[in-house]
Amino acid sequence: MATDTPLRPVADGDFDDGRGPELPAPPDPGHGARLRRLIGVDEPLLDWVPEERTRYTWYGALVVNTALFGAVSMALALGSFRSDLPWAAVALVAVIWFWAILALDAWLVSSTHGTGVKKWTLAVRFFLSVLLGLFIAEPVLFQIFDKEIRQEIAVGNERKVAGYRGMLVSCNPTDGADTTGRAECGAYQLKVPGSPAELGRQIEQTTKRAGTLRTQVDGLNRTLDGKLAAEQRLCGPKYWVRRGGGRDVSVTCERARAATSAFRETSRIGTYERELAGLVAEARELGARKDRAADGYRPALQRAVDAKTERRAADLDTDGILTRAHGLKEVAASDGFALFLTVVLHLLLLALDAMPVLAKVLGGSTTYDTLLGARYAASRRRHTEELQVQLDCARLEHEVRRHRSEQDAADRKDRTEREYQRARSERAAEEREELDARTERLLRARGVGV
């Protein structure tokens, strides 16, 4: 047949490994084949175009280099942002990241082989490569501008600490004046014992309580004075009565005295007077402490401001990824050359990270892609033909089964018809025999009667 005819005459240098027709070049068993296999190249098909081996070998090398670059970037990132991690953990994460990037880039490149790849799919794959490159490039840029970033972070933190200290000083004056009415001072209020303003507020509260208590005591005293006056009036000689041969106070006087004594006990006027005296003494003591507080309050306030400022400075981040990213932005914004260098390095690192797919886009379709596309088309046609053959075979098998079913049905009909005719003949013979027997009995009966 025509398909058995060799495509070209067999030469002495041809290689035949038992896979079919002789190939233009023998298979490549070296490391290049492993790199090409990594990006999904079909070596038996590539043997027909050995000129493309170098290109696809470098494609595989680009994928490995990108994965190595990503692993180094991840190690640098972990070393910078998580300095507390042991090197074994950093190495393990870097190896895992190397494998993840290698698998992703290998899939991206292997999915671009063949002539059936659409341009928009290449754009989508390139977009994924750019996203991956952005993630990989940032730790490297942090290392390149590490000195400038640290300096910018230090200057920024100094500004923040100075601004924080300024708000503490503004919202906590040395005279202890109240600043709670200022909205911007809500988060900067300090509670320092011995504040003149605090002592002033305590004096005001104590004086207010003493005034309220004095009003209450004065009211009780007026009521008590009224009862005492009533008692003196009712117990005077004018109201004495004769009792037991002499003169004595009346029952009304005794009741007035009992009411006065009961009022003293129930009204607790003595307790209130002692409490009032204590409040007056406390107000005097607070006044004296307020006079002495100005000299001791300023050093205490200064110590509180210093402690709060030191705590604020200790809480500021210096190595976080967001802090370093902000520092890199400030470095780029503060100097035109730094901005230019940042943009150029970003583009360079993005190009290196996206080079596996970018090389495929720039290189265009190759002879290998054409052969692979032809194989895809042939495989689709072969699969279509195979499906058609299976369909035809199934159709023929179905027709055979239907014909067999029709023949079986005809045979069963014939057998049924013959059985029916035989049974009918047997019934007719039985009926004739029975009729003959009846006729014979009738004739015999008539002959005997005669």
Side-chain angles (χ1 to χ4, degrees):
M1 295 178 66
T3 55
D4 298 331
T5 303
L7 296 177
R8 59 183 177 81
V10 179
D12 294 335
D14 288 337
F15 178 84
D16 187 6
D17 60 352
R19 294 179 295 173
E22 292 79 5
L23 300 176
D28 181 13
H31 297 290
R34 296 185 178 90
L35 291 174
R36 294 191 296 271
R37 192 178 303 114
L38 183 66
I39 59 175
V41 174
D42 188 1
E43 285 294 317
L45 183 61
L46 190 63
D47 290 342
W48 288 96
V49 280
E51 298 82 4
E52 302 286 347
R53 286 176 177 171
T54 302
R55 172 182 293 188
Y56 285 98
T57 300
W58 286 116
Y59 280 169
L62 285 175
V63 171
V64 175
N65 289 340
T66 303
L68 287 173
F69 187 71
V72 173
S73 175
M74 178 59 70
L76 291 175
L78 291 177
S80 300
F81 308 140
R82 293 295 304 273
S83 57
D84 57 328
L85 291 177
W87 280 106
V90 174
L92 178 61
V93 175
V95 170
I96 295 175
W97 187 239
F98 167 81
W99 170 250
I101 296 179
L102 182 66
L104 180 59
D105 280 341
W107 171 77
L108 288 174
V109 174
S110 63
S111 61
T112 61
H113 298 324
T115 57
V117 180
K118 305 297 182 181
K119 292 183 178 180
W120 68 270
T121 59
L122 289 176
V124 172
R125 291 178 177 91
F126 180 72
F127 177 71
L128 292 176
S129 299
V130 170
L131 289 181
L132 185 62
L134 285 173
F135 188 80
I136 295 175
E138 289 304 314
V140 179
L141 288 173
F142 291 155
Q143 292 299 319
I144 294 176
F145 293 99
D146 181 69
K147 183 177 180 180
E148 291 78 6
I149 291 174
R150 291 186 181 278
Q151 183 178 359
E152 183 62 34
I153 292 174
V155 172
N157 287 346
E158 288 179 0
R159 294 197 193 99
K160 293 178 181 178
V161 172
Y164 185 76
R165 184 182 183 86
M167 290 299 299
L168 288 177
V169 173
S170 175
C171 295
N172 299 275
T174 55
D175 59 353
D178 186 14
T179 59
T180 55
R182 295 167 56 183
E184 68 276 11
C185 293
Y188 299 96
Q189 298 288 337
L190 294 178
K191 298 297 183 181
V192 180
S195 170
E198 181 65 25
L199 291 175
R201 286 191 293 272
Q202 293 180 11
I203 292 174
E204 181 180 357
Q205 293 175 359
T206 303
T207 303
K208 184 177 180 180
R209 288 170 53 197
T212 302
L213 190 59
R214 186 181 299 278
T215 301
Q216 184 178 0
V217 170
D218 290 344
L220 293 175
N221 281 328
R222 284 194 298 271
T223 303
L224 181 61
D225 291 343
K227 290 183 177 296
L228 288 174
E231 179 185 346
Q232 291 177 359
R233 181 173 56 83
L234 294 174
C235 294
K238 180 180 179 180
Y239 294 95
W240 286 359
V241 296
R242 294 185 177 275
R243 185 182 299 172
R247 301 184 67 182
D248 196 359
V249 295
S250 63
V251 176
T252 305
C253 174
E254 292 177 354
R255 289 177 179 175
R257 288 177 179 176
T260 302
S261 300
F263 180 77
R264 288 179 183 275
E265 294 179 0
T266 57
S267 64
R268 300 175 60 190
I269 186 171
T271 303
Y272 291 149
E273 288 178 344
R274 288 191 296 273
E275 184 177 352
L276 177 60
L279 289 176
V280 172
E282 182 180 354
R284 290 175 184 157
E285 175 64 22
L286 289 174
R289 287 174 56 188
K290 181 180 179 182
D291 296 337
R292 300 189 303 268
D295 296 333
Y297 177 70
R298 291 187 182 90
L301 178 62
Q302 186 66 33
R303 289 191 297 270
V305 170
D306 292 341
K308 199 75 172 179
T309 303
E310 292 176 359
R311 192 177 305 113
R312 172 65 174 173
D315 293 339
L316 291 176
D317 184 31
T318 57
D319 290 324
I321 183 171
L322 295 179
T323 302
R324 292 178 70 85
H326 179 74
L328 179 61
K329 184 190 73 173
E330 294 297 329
V331 169
S334 62
D335 185 81
F337 181 75
L339 176 61
F340 170 76
L341 191 59
T342 302
V343 173
V344 170
L345 287 175
H346 261 106
L347 294 177
L348 178 61
L349 293 175
L350 285 177
L352 290 176
D353 295 333
M355 187 55 68
V357 177
L358 186 62
K360 184 66 179 179
V361 174
L362 296 177
S365 181
T366 63
T367 306
Y368 171 78
D369 292 329
T370 303
L371 295 179
L372 188 60
R375 172 179 286 184
Y376 288 158
S379 298
R380 286 194 294 269
R381 289 195 301 271
R382 181 178 178 182
H383 182 260
T384 303
E385 293 174 356
E386 179 66 24
L387 290 178
Q388 187 63 41
V389 169
Q390 294 179 6
L391 180 60
D392 294 340
C393 292
R395 185 182 295 112
L396 293 174
E397 180 67 23
H398 181 71
E399 291 179 358
V400 170
R401 291 172 58 188
R402 184 175 62 184
H403 183 65
R404 183 179 300 167
S405 298
E406 291 176 354
Q407 289 181 342
D408 291 341
D411 292 341
R412 292 172 63 184
K413 288 180 180 179
D414 293 340
R415 287 196 301 270
T416 303
E417 183 65 24
R418 287 196 298 269
E419 291 176 356
Y420 173 74
Q421 294 296 335
R422 184 171 59 252
R424 185 176 181 182
S425 300
E426 291 177 355
R427 285 197 300 271
E430 291 176 355
E431 290 176 356
R432 284 195 299 270
E433 290 178 358
E434 184 178 356
L435 183 59
D436 293 340
R438 288 181 179 179
T439 304
E440 185 177 356
R441 286 196 301 270
L442 290 173
L443 293 175
R444 188 179 300 145
R446 289 177 180 177
V448 172
V450 176

